[in-house]
């Protein structure tokens, strides 16, 4: 919300966020940080929703499908289930390459 | 509240993530036939049923909308929260919570169970979809899970009533415990979990999984392969539009033969009655009023069933959530949420469930925008009007080498006109009254499932029953009233016009005529529009009666479509079609909008804007068509 995209916590050096992964890429979630994501939601809400949908530290994700146009939204596999979300909000999920 | 100190039956509530099979389990327990479908957010209100347990206890069961958390983001989830926490007035929280978890996706589902356990209420965990879990190679140790969680765990296969007996026994056991323990705490300690709490729940779930799940199984490869095509950026959208096109085409093509059969049966019945009864008021009431009126509505049963067939199949396979995904970006162009596709598709059947399904849209502005445009989707009650006019005025010419017919194409164009104007209205609304960003999209895409033919057949049967019951009650009654209005008073001595001209209906029609003349409507149409507000398809029935009564003897044999083709100009017919694209709301839609928005404001706005659009569209259509043709 304060236009401060680099979070201090949970991010490995050179880390990326889920919103920039390409189709077929796999990764591991290293943190959830909603700062820098513009939403209508009250503060802290997006983070909690992400966690409730299984996007929490340690989850394995893989980008399965991209919609049209603009390759957005994306469908990702999160551990055992599949989730659709927009790239804008996926920026809140920090990831590192899958081990 | 303990079971002892009250005469009320003990209450249990079914709680769980969306699409985990709560309603299927509710149906298995109570023998009800509530709607089960393969997308998150099918159930949007609480449903109550009863069963008698093996020990002879009468138990009340509450089926609830699915939720990921008691934090309730949308109106449907608020219902779940309020029932579970006993926040509805005059209602305690349920005596027992049956948590339903999808065994194929325990990691996500157990999180809610862990949250529910914090409430301190008695809980039983139903591990549902065990058949699917086994197919995926999941190996879950239910006994270990029960020990680790400290609650009874029962594996179930709700759609096949599997595991219902053990579940009932556990419910009886839990009820007995609740009776023994003199008083279970009536209030629930619950406060909104923070993100830290949520992470802690996840940790707890990881611990449970490590101890009780030997193998989480593989996500279904078939779903992934199918999605590689159906969610393809280009083929996916093309497929979606093809499905919708086929649906509207089939409504025409598949229904034709059975409709001809019904038509034949109705005129046969009419002839038989006419030949059997002596000439008089009773014969006229039966043939012109009831058989012509109700018959001209009943004939559309096949079309409505074809439409529902498509919708039921789409709902059962799991494709609806995909359509929402594919359309999110495009619908975002007019400010709508991708999820809005689901209520809008339901509105093709009827706007009432469509408006209710909008409850799953979290943001109030997004939800209101969706509700306001839902009635612009051509509902099945408008189908008879379209079909009748197309049959009367559009020649049945095959196009593209017989692949599509001209009538089907016109029908598709009418549906498209409804959809496009809905998008335009949404755009204006989002630019003016409902400003603001869209809610985030966070939606599970369920695994595909083959629809069960028996479920589809039962669903269609249910629909047919509702439609025929409506034809036999509301429409039947309205038709009798209309027959009286159209028959009395009779023609004066030496009248030259058909008798109906002098009847009350004729007078009403002539009174309204000046208002509707600028858009090309005849007085007969004016008469038909009035009861059409109660039930849209009645308009067709009324036209059936009016033309049956106006016909002079020899023309009586020709069908209603033939009568219309002979007496209306083409611009009038086009104008009426345009009117019905925007047709003012039926009473049922307006009252559900009032309920869902808690007030008269939005239904009034809806009525005014739609009638304005309808009049405007008809005016332009009539003028342009008159000038060109
Ligand atoms: N294979 C299998 N499918 C099931 C089982 N139970 C339910 N289903 C299917 O799962 C889907 C969802 O079932 P519902 O009962 O509508 O789920 P729900 O929990 O009520 O969903 P919401 O009302 O949206 O929260 C449907 O397609 C059912 O046919 C089961 O035990 N095994
Ligand atoms: Mg349900």
């Amino acid at each position: 919300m304060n236009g401060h995209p680099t979070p201090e916590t949970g991010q490995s050096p050179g880390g990326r966020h889920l919103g920039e992964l390409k189709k077929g890429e796999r990764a591991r979630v290293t943190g959830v940080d909603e700062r820098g994501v513009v939403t209508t939601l009250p503060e802290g809400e997006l983070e909690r929703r992400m966690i409730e949908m299984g996007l929490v530290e340690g989850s394995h994700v893989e980008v399965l499908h991209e919609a049209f146009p603009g390759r957005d939204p994306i469908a990702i596999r999160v551990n055992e289930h599949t989730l659709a979300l927009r790239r804008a909000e996926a920026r809140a999920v920090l990831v590192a390459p899958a081990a | 509240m303990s079971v002892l100190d009250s005469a009320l039956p003990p209450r249990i509530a079914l709680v769980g993530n969306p699409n985990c099979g709560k309603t299927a389990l509710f149906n298995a327990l109570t023998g009800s036939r509530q709607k089960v479908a393969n997308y998150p957010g099918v159930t949007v209100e609480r449903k109550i049923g009863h069963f008698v347990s093996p020990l002879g206890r009468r138990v009340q069961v509450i089926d609830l909308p699915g939720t990921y958390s008691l934090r309730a983001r949308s109106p449907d989830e608020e219902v779940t929260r309020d029932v579970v926490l006993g926040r509805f007035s005059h209602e305690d929280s349920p005596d027992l919570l049956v948590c339903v978890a999808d065994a194929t996706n325990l990691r996500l589902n157990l999180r809610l169970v862990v949250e529910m356990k914090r409430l301190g209420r008695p809980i039983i965990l139903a591990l549902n979809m065990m058949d699917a879990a086994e197919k995926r190679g999941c190996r879950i140790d239910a006994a270990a899970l029960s020990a680790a969680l400290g609650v009874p765990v029962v594996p179930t296969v709700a759609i096949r009533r599997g595991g219902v007996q053990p579940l009932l026994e556990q419910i009886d056991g839990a009820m007995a415990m609740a009776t023994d323990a003199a008083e279970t705490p009536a209030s629930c300690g619950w406060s909104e979990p923070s993100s830290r709490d949520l992470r802690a729940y996840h940790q707890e779930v990881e611990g449970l999984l490590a101890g009780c799940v030997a193998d989480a199984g593989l996500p279904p490869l078939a779903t992934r392969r199918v999605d590689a095509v159906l969610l393809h950026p280009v083929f996916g959208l093309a497929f979606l539009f093809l499905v919708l096109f086929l649906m509207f085409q089939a409504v025409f093509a598949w229904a034709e033969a059975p409709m001809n059969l019904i038509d034949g049966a109705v005129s046969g019945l009419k002839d038989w009655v006419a030949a059997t009864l002596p000439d008089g008021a009773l014969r006229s009431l039966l043939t012109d009023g009831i058989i012509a009126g109700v018959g001209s509505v009943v004939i559309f049963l096949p079309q409505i069933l074809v439409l529902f067939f498509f919708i039921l199949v789409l709902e059962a396979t799991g494709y609806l959530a995909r359509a929402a995904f594919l359309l999110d970006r495009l619908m975002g162009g007019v400010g709508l949420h991708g999820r809005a596709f689901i209520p809008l598709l339901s509105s093709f059947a009827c706007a009432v469930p469509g408006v209710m399904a909008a409850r799953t849209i979290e943001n109030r502005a997004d939800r209101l925008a969706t509700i306001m445009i839902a009635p612009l989707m051509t509902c099945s009650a408008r189908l008879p009007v379209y079909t009748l006019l197309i049959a009367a005025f559009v020649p049945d010419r095959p196009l593209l080498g017989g692949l599509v017919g001209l009538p089907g194409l016109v029908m598709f164009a009418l549906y498209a006109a409804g959809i496009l104007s809905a998008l335009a209205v949404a755009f204006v609304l989002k630019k003016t009254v409902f400003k603001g960003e869209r809610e985030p999209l966070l939606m599970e895409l369920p695994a595909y499932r083959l629809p069960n033919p028996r479920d589809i057949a039962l669903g269609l049967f249910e629909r047919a029953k509702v439609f025929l019951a409506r034809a036999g009650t509301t429409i039947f009654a309205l038709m009798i009233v209309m027959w009286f209005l159209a028959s009395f008073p009779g023609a004066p001595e030496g009248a030259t016009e058909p008798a109906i001209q002098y009847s009350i209906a004729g007078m009403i029609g002539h009174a309204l005529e000046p208002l509707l003349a600028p858009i090309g409507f005849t007085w007969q149409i004016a008469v038909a529009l009035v009861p059409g507000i109660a039930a849209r398809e009645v308009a067709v029935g009324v036209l059936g009666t009016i033309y049956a009564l106006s016909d002079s003897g020899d023309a009586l044999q020709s069908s209603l479509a033939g009568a219309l083709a002979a007496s209306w100009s083409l611009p009038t017919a086009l104008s009426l079609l345009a009117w019905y694209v925007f047709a003012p709301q039926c009473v049922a839609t307006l009252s559900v909008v009032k309920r869902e928005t808690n007030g008269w404001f939005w239904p009034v706005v809806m009525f005014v804007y739609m009638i304005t659009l309808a009049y405007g569209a008809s005016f332009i259509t009539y003028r342009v068509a008159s000038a060109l043709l």
Side-chain angles (χ1 to χ4, degrees):
Chain A
M1 306 225 164
N2 48 13
H4 176 52
T6 28
E8 305 90 338
T9 51
Q11 162 104 297
S12 49
R16 306 163 70 196
H17 56 72
L18 182 58
E20 61 187 318
L21 294 193
K22 297 202 176 57
K23 187 165 163 175
E25 273 192 277
R26 293 166 188 237
R28 189 171 46 82
V29 176
T30 56
V32 185
D33 189 315
E34 62 169 50
R35 284 173 297 171
V37 177
V38 183
T39 73
T40 47
L41 303 176
E43 209 179 316
E45 179 62 23
L46 184 65
E47 178 182 359
R48 288 194 283 180
R49 286 193 190 177
M50 291 288 185
I51 299 174
E52 281 165 3
M53 299 306 290
L55 288 166
V56 66
E57 289 80 4
S59 296
H60 294 275
V61 295
E62 175 183 358
V63 179
L64 297 180
H65 313 286
E66 296 167 326
F68 175 85
R71 302 177 176 281
D72 191 33
I74 49 176
I76 55 169
R77 188 177 57 75
V78 186
N79 298 318
E80 287 90 34
H81 64 280
T82 309
L83 194 64
L85 77 174
R86 301 195 190 113
R87 286 193 187 269
E89 283 108 29
R91 298 175 60 90
V93 180
L94 310 170
V95 295
Chain B
M1 181 186 71
S2 87
V3 185
L4 268 186
D5 58 2
S6 121
L8 294 172
R11 301 161 69 232
I12 66 177
L14 299 172
V15 191
N17 284 10
N19 211 40
C20 66
K22 296 175 296 300
T23 304
L25 194 60
F26 176 85
N27 289 345
L29 284 171
T30 63
S32 338
R33 289 207 43 83
Q34 293 298 339
K35 181 168 169 185
V36 168
N38 191 18
Y39 60 91
V42 179
T43 309
V44 293
E45 54 182 347
R46 64 190 167 139
K47 294 277 176 180
I48 293 177
H50 294 271
F51 66 84
V52 176
S53 73
L55 290 185
R57 246 193 215 96
R58 190 175 151 80
V59 179
Q60 189 189 76
V61 203
I62 313 169
D63 182 26
L64 292 172
T67 182
Y68 292 100
S69 150
L70 285 184
R71 295 190 312 108
R73 324 161 179 175
S74 47
D76 59 328
E77 298 185 354
E78 281 165 20
V79 172
T80 304
R81 180 197 61 200
D82 292 344
V83 168
V84 169
L85 298 181
R87 286 189 186 172
F88 271 115
S89 47
H90 316 299
E91 255 182 46
D92 287 310
S93 69
D95 299 286
L96 171 70
L97 299 175
V98 174
C99 288
V100 185
D102 174 354
T104 62
N105 188 10
L106 268 188
R107 198 180 304 267
L108 199 62
N109 279 252
L110 280 182
R111 209 202 53 74
L112 182 66
V113 178
V114 167
E115 185 179 333
M116 302 301 289
K117 248 191 71 182
R118 297 283 199 283
L119 297 178
R121 308 290 304 176
I123 287 186
I124 294 176
L125 174 60
L127 274 188
N128 194 34
M129 308 223 184
M130 281 307 277
D131 55 333
E134 269 155 32
K135 230 179 261 160
R136 283 191 200 184
C138 301
R139 282 187 292 135
I140 304 168
D141 184 344
L145 186 60
S146 170
L149 267 173
V151 307
V153 174
V154 186
T156 60
V157 183
I159 40 168
R160 269 184 257 126
R161 298 183 48 86
V164 166
Q165 206 52 38
L167 181 62
L168 286 174
E169 281 157 23
Q170 287 293 349
I171 291 174
D172 254 335
M175 290 296 165
M177 294 239 292
T179 322
D180 288 345
E183 196 73 13
T184 42
S187 69
C188 291
W190 180 81
S191 57
E192 270 209 10
S194 66
S195 62
R196 196 202 269 140
D197 296 331
L198 293 173
R199 286 191 168 93
Y201 298 163
H202 259 288
Q203 284 305 317
E204 197 173 330
V205 169
E206 291 297 331
L208 289 169
L209 292 177
C212 315
V213 178
D215 189 343
L218 289 171
L221 206 57
T223 291
R224 198 172 157 161
R225 291 219 174 106
V226 172
D227 272 344
V229 180
L230 295 193
L231 294 188
H232 187 275
V234 179
F235 302 131
L237 276 177
F239 180 80
L240 175 61
F241 291 121
L242 185 71
V243 167
L244 292 180
F245 181 77
L246 273 183
M247 176 162 115
F248 301 131
Q249 184 67 35
V251 160
F252 236 91
W254 298 3
E256 197 180 327
M259 283 176 76
N260 286 338
L261 277 181
I262 298 179
D263 196 18
V266 169
S267 15
L269 184 65
K270 206 157 107 182
D271 292 345
W272 180 78
V273 172
T276 324
L277 288 180
D279 199 2
L282 179 65
R283 185 172 104 178
S284 172
L285 172 63
L286 282 179
T287 55
D288 303 333
I290 296 171
I291 301 179
V294 176
S296 48
V297 176
V298 166
I299 186 173
F300 296 101
L301 179 63
Q303 287 194 324
I304 284 165
L305 292 185
V306 171
L307 181 72
F308 273 89
F309 172 77
F310 272 84
I311 293 180
L312 285 171
V313 169
L314 287 179
E315 285 179 344
T317 52
Y319 184 66
L320 281 197
R322 267 86 184 172
F325 168 81
L326 285 170
L327 290 175
D328 184 65
R329 192 66 189 262
L330 294 181
M331 298 198 8
V334 296
L336 285 175
H337 198 282
R339 274 215 100 142
F341 177 78
I342 295 175
L344 294 182
L345 186 87
S346 318
S347 302
F348 284 128
C350 173
V352 172
V355 166
M356 295 209 32
R359 283 189 184 185
T360 59
I361 298 173
E362 297 142 26
N363 176 296
R364 184 173 155 83
D366 287 359
R367 192 162 80 90
L368 278 176
T370 309
I371 289 178
M372 294 307 278
I373 63 169
L376 284 176
M377 301 291 125
T378 302
C379 68
S380 57
R382 267 180 270 186
L383 204 51
V385 182
Y386 285 1
T387 309
L388 176 65
L389 292 178
I390 289 174
F393 291 95
V394 178
D396 191 358
R397 210 177 290 146
L399 297 174
L400 294 176
L403 225 59
V404 283
L406 189 57
L409 201 65
V410 172
M411 179 70 94
F412 183 70
L414 287 168
Y415 273 92
I419 296 169
L420 292 178
S421 48
L423 294 180
V425 170
F427 183 74
V428 172
L429 286 176
K430 288 293 284 190
K431 278 274 178 276
T432 53
V433 273
F434 302 131
K435 284 203 199 91
E437 285 293 306
R438 291 190 296 162
E439 270 295 291
L441 171 79
L442 271 177
M443 181 180 58
E444 254 192 280
L445 299 179
Y448 284 113
R449 208 164 268 141
L450 274 182
N452 178 348
R454 190 173 157 270
D455 284 347
I456 304 279
L458 278 173
L460 287 178
F461 178 71
E462 203 82 355
R463 258 340 284 187
K465 240 173 48 187
V466 170
F467 179 82
L468 291 177
R470 203 168 132 92
T473 54
T474 317
I475 295 175
F476 180 81
L478 278 170
M479 289 328 300
I480 294 180
V481 172
M482 287 312 295
W483 178 83
F484 271 104
L485 293 182
S487 305
F488 296 101
E493 279 300 309
T496 46
E497 304 278 322
I500 189 170
Q501 294 273 11
Y502 306 95
S503 69
I504 301 176
M507 288 185 249
I508 296 175
H510 286 297
L512 287 174
E513 205 179 359
L515 198 63
L516 297 175
I519 57 176
F521 287 6
T522 63
W523 68 267
Q524 290 96 333
I525 299 178
V527 175
L529 288 183
V530 177
I533 291 181
R536 275 191 260 240
E537 58 272 49
V538 171
V540 168
V542 175
L543 288 175
T545 298
I546 293 176
Y547 281 96
L549 284 173
S550 335
D551 271 340
S552 44
D554 49 310
L556 204 109
Q557 297 308 321
S558 76
S559 68
L560 178 55
L564 296 187
S567 57
W568 290 0
S569 69
L570 185 56
T572 292
L574 292 177
S575 171
L576 185 60
L577 282 176
W579 174 273
Y580 262 90
V581 169
F582 303 97
Q585 287 328 280
C586 64
V587 176
T589 307
L590 290 171
S591 66
V592 75
V593 172
K594 171 180 173 284
R595 202 179 72 199
E596 294 295 296
T597 60
N598 297 319
W600 280 109
F601 181 74
W602 290 112
V604 169
V605 170
M606 180 181 265
F607 186 81
V608 171
Y609 104 77
M610 291 190 73
I611 208 161
T612 311
L613 279 184
Y615 198 92
S618 291
F619 185 81
I620 294 171
T621 309
Y622 184 64
R623 296 288 138 171
V624 171
S626 302
L628 292 181
L629 297 170

